[in-house]
Amino acid sequence: MSTSSSNSEVEQFMAGLVKRNPHEDEFHQAVREVAESLMPFILDHSEYRKAQILERMTEPDRVVIFRVTWMDDAGNIRANRAWRVQFNNSIGPYKGGLRFHPSVTLSILKFLGFEQTFKNSLTGLPMGGGKGGSNFNPKGKSDGEVMRFCHSLMTELQRFIGEDTDVPAGDIGVGAREISYLFGQYKRLKNRFTGILTGKGLSFGGSCGRREATGYGCVYFCENMFQQRGESIAGKRVLVSGSGNVAIYSIEKAIEMGAKVLTFSDSSGFIHDPDGIDAEKLAFIKDLKEVRRGRVIEYAEKFKGAEFHEGKRPWHVPAEVALPCATQNEISGEEARALLDNGIQAVSEGANMPTELNGVHAFVKAKILFGPAKAANAGGVAVSGLEQSQNALRLSWDHDEVDGRLKGIMRDIHAKCVEYGSDADDGSVNYVKGANIAGFIKVADAMLAYGAV
Ligand code: NDP
Ligand code: 2IT
C-alpha cells in the first residue's frame, strides 16, 4: 500500500472522527497517532477494514456522566462533575484509572480510555479499556473533604462497576488515600468485599509492588530498549518530570540501576540537581510529596547546589535519557528538538501522551529509543491485573513474585514492539508502530470473532 494513499485514508478517517467528536483535541491527538501507524496495516488486511474495526474501536461502548455533591469543611455545598468512560471490553472487563484534576474533561478521559485499551492488550492480561475521573481539585483540600467527595462519588459509581464489569484504579490525584475512601464506601453500600478497585492498601487486598509498578516498569522498558542495542541505562544522565507516584518510583529504579537523575518537577516548576539525586534525597522527596503534599521548591532550600526553575520544564537540560512522568503534552515539538539537539538517546514515557504529536514524529524520525506510553507505562496496569488475579484467588504474592512477573511482562511488551515495529532495512525499531499494531491485533481479532456487536 502506498504512503500517499494511506495518508489520505488517515485524513478521511480523522475528518469523520473530528466531526463526530467536536472540540475533543486530546482525543483527536491520541487517535491520530494510532491511525497514522495502523492505517497501512489495516489497508493490507481487508478483514479489519470490512468490519469497520478502527471506526468501532474509536467509539466508546458507553460513557456515564454524573454529579457529585459533597460538603466542604466550612459547611458549603459543593458540586463536581464525574465520568466513567467504558471504552472497550472485547478482551476483558473495563480496566483503567480515575483522575481527579481541575483540567479533567470528557476529551481527556476519552483519550486516556482509548490508549488504555491498547495498553491493556499489550500486557497480555485479560483487561479491557476504561477511564474515569472528575474535575474535582484535591489540592489544598483536607482529608475530611477528600473523604466526603470520594464517598459521594462512589455512591453513584457503584452502580456501574464490578469485578467482572469494570475495575477502576488510581491516576493523577488518586492515590492510596482516595482508593481507600472509595473502597470503604463500596464495601459499605454493597456489603461485598471483592476486588472492584486496584491499588488497595496491603491489608485489604492490595498487591505488593503496585505502588512502584508504573515507575519501575517504565525504567525496565527503557533498559530493554537499551539492551536491544547492547547498551544500558547505567551511567546515563536522566531527566524526570513530575514528582508524583510514577516519577518517584521511576527515579528510585533509575538510581538503583546506576543512572544519574538530574531533575524532577511539579506544576510550579522544576528542580535541577547537577550532583544527582541519591537515596537520602529521594527519601526527602517521598516525605515531601507522599506525606506532606508540599511543593518542589523545598528541595532546593534543603540541598545545596540544587536549583529551582519556576514555571519551567526540564527538557533543556543536557542528558541521555528522558522520563516524562507528569501529564499529557508536557514535551512540545520545540522541546523534543531541544532534547535531540542535546544528544538524547532514549525517551521512555511514564505519563500518558506526554509528547505532542510533532515531538513524537521528531523522535521517530531521529530513530532514538522512543518508548511510547502505552508500552512504557503499562507496568502499573499490569500489576493491577495481578492484583485482580490475587483477589480472585484469595491469596497474595510476595514482592519478588510480583516484581518478577512485572519484569517478564515488560520484556514481553518490548518483544512485541520489536516484532511489529522493526525496520527490515536498518534493524531499527519504531516502538510507536510496534505498540500500536501489537495492541490492536488482539482486540481487533476478538471483535471480528464476535460479529457485529
Ligand atoms: P500524581 O498525581 O501522583 O502526580 C502527578 C505529577 O504530575 C505531580 O507532580 C503533578 O504536579 C504533575 N502534574 C500533573 N498535572 C500537571 C500539569 N497539568 N502540569 C504540570 N504538572 C502536572 O499522578 P501519577 O504519578 O499517578 O500520574 C502521572 C502520569 O502517569 C499521568 O499521565 C498518568 O496518567 C500516568 N500514569 C499513571 C499510572 C499510575 O499507576 N498512577 C499508570 C500509568 C500512567 P502538581 O502536584 O503540582 O499538580
Ligand atoms: O494509565 C494507567 O494505566 C493507570 N492510571 C493505571 C490503571 C490501572 O487500572 O491500574
Side-chain angles (χ1 to χ4, degrees):
M1 191 53 61
S2 79
T3 311
S4 71
S5 73
S6 174
N7 288 347
S8 77
E9 288 286 341
V10 169
E11 292 314 319
Q12 213 181 322
F13 172 77
M14 286 306 302
L17 183 111
V18 169
K19 196 166 169 207
R20 289 191 298 282
N21 304 276
H23 316 301
E24 295 184 355
D25 293 349
E26 296 85 2
F27 181 52
H28 303 162
Q29 180 185 341
V31 173
R32 177 178 279 279
E33 185 229 88
V34 167
E36 283 177 356
S37 45
L38 272 182
M39 198 57 81
F41 180 79
I42 289 177
L43 293 177
D44 282 343
H45 293 80
S46 59
E47 66 276 22
Y48 297 134
R49 196 157 193 224
K50 235 170 91 192
Q52 300 271 298
I53 297 291
L54 192 58
E55 287 75 4
R56 286 155 62 193
M57 273 179 76
T58 48
E59 193 65 41
D61 290 350
R62 70 188 62 76
V63 178
V64 185
I65 309 180
F66 53 97
R67 185 183 68 240
V68 181
T69 308
W70 54 285
M71 191 183 280
D72 68 20
D73 287 344
N76 302 307
I77 298 292
R78 310 277 288 263
N80 286 91
R81 185 176 298 168
W83 295 260
R84 186 71 186 165
V85 180
Q86 297 185 329
F87 219 105
N88 190 305
N89 69 351
S90 298
I91 60 168
Y94 304 108
K95 182 83 197 84
L98 295 170
R99 178 178 290 192
F100 294 171
H101 195 272
S103 65
V104 167
T105 60
L106 180 57
S107 170
I108 295 217
L109 297 177
K110 280 170 70 177
F111 117 61
L112 289 164
F114 177 72
E115 291 267 309
Q116 198 83 45
T117 304
F118 287 74
K119 184 194 305 188
N120 294 1
S121 164
L122 283 170
T123 65
L125 301 173
M127 301 184 289
K131 201 84 189 190
S134 173
N135 56 6
F136 175 75
N137 185 1
K139 230 173 267 165
K141 303 283 191 303
S142 69
D143 287 350
E145 289 175 325
V146 172
M147 178 187 75
R148 290 192 290 280
F149 176 80
C150 289
H151 285 177
S152 180
L153 183 135
M154 183 53 85
T155 301
E156 185 63 24
L157 187 65
Q158 51 90 15
R159 300 171 205 277
F160 309 106
I161 63 174
E163 65 273 36
D164 296 322
T165 311
D166 184 356
V167 183
D171 193 81
I172 291 176
V174 179
R177 174 182 64 171
E178 291 74 19
I179 293 293
S180 304
Y181 291 146
L182 291 163
F183 187 73
Q185 179 72 345
Y186 180 91
K187 191 175 63 57
R188 174 163 66 164
L189 290 170
K190 304 286 253 198
N191 193 22
R192 297 182 73 229
F193 191 108
T194 179
I196 47 86
L197 287 168
T198 60
K200 299 185 292 298
L202 292 182
S203 63
F204 50 93
S207 174
C208 273
R210 173 61 188 91
R211 186 181 48 177
E212 298 85 354
T214 313
Y216 282 16
C218 176
V219 175
Y220 292 152
F221 193 84
C222 192
E223 181 69 358
N224 288 329
M225 294 196 294
F226 272 122
Q227 282 176 358
Q228 176 78 6
R229 289 192 178 171
E231 295 175 42
S232 166
I233 195 173
K236 304 275 193 305
R237 293 172 299 174
V238 178
L239 308 177
V240 172
S241 64
S243 50
N245 173 267
V246 181
I248 284 175
Y249 294 96
S250 293
I251 296 172
E252 182 163 282
K253 187 51 74 176
I255 298 173
E256 196 187 305
M257 292 180 70
K260 184 172 183 179
V261 179
L262 301 180
T263 69
F264 65 99
S265 68
D266 64 18
S267 54
S268 67
F270 81 93
I271 294 288
H272 180 199
D273 186 344
D275 299 330
I277 299 168
D278 59 18
E280 182 204 332
K281 292 170 174 176
L282 181 61
F284 177 85
I285 299 172
K286 283 187 186 176
D287 178 62
L288 176 68
K289 286 295 175 179
E290 294 182 338
V291 181
R292 294 191 284 122
R293 299 177 193 272
R295 312 305 291 161
V296 293
I297 192 171
E298 285 189 41
Y299 182 99
E301 289 160 359
K302 165 106 179 150
F303 297 108
K304 279 195 192 58
E307 299 154 10
F308 174 62
H309 298 266
E310 190 175 355
K312 298 245 164 49
R313 300 192 287 219
W315 313 126
H316 286 83
V317 177
E320 289 76 39
V321 177
L323 307 176
C325 297
T327 192
Q328 66 277 351
N329 291 326
E330 55 165 320
I331 301 181
S332 67
E334 183 273 320
E335 286 164 321
R337 276 185 292 279
L339 286 166
L340 289 169
D341 288 346
N342 281 331
I344 202 81
Q345 296 171 12
V347 178
S348 190
E349 294 187 328
N352 285 307
M353 203 169 75
T355 312
E356 286 183 354
L357 195 53
N358 52 0
V360 171
H361 291 156
F363 290 149
V364 170
K365 187 157 175 246
K367 300 196 176 195
I368 62 156
L369 301 172
F370 175 59
K374 54 175 81 69
N377 73 32
V381 76
V383 173
S384 278
L386 300 181
E387 182 171 328
Q388 289 178 270
S389 301
Q390 293 168 80
N391 291 166
L393 293 166
R394 296 183 190 280
L395 51 73
S396 51
W397 297 325
D398 65 18
H399 189 274
D400 289 350
E401 171 79 30
V402 174
D403 195 49
R405 286 177 187 258
L406 171 63
K407 276 189 185 137
I409 290 170
M410 299 313 294
R411 228 183 355 254
D412 290 348
I413 296 174
H414 180 268
K416 283 181 204 158
C417 293
V418 172
E419 182 181 349
Y420 291 100
S422 288
D423 184 324
D425 294 333
D426 65 5
S428 67
V429 181
N430 178 342
Y431 288 91
V432 177
K433 178 180 162 194
N436 285 334
I437 295 178
F440 173 79
I441 290 174
K442 188 175 172 194
V443 179
D445 287 350
M447 291 176 78
L448 274 183
Y450 296 143
V453 294

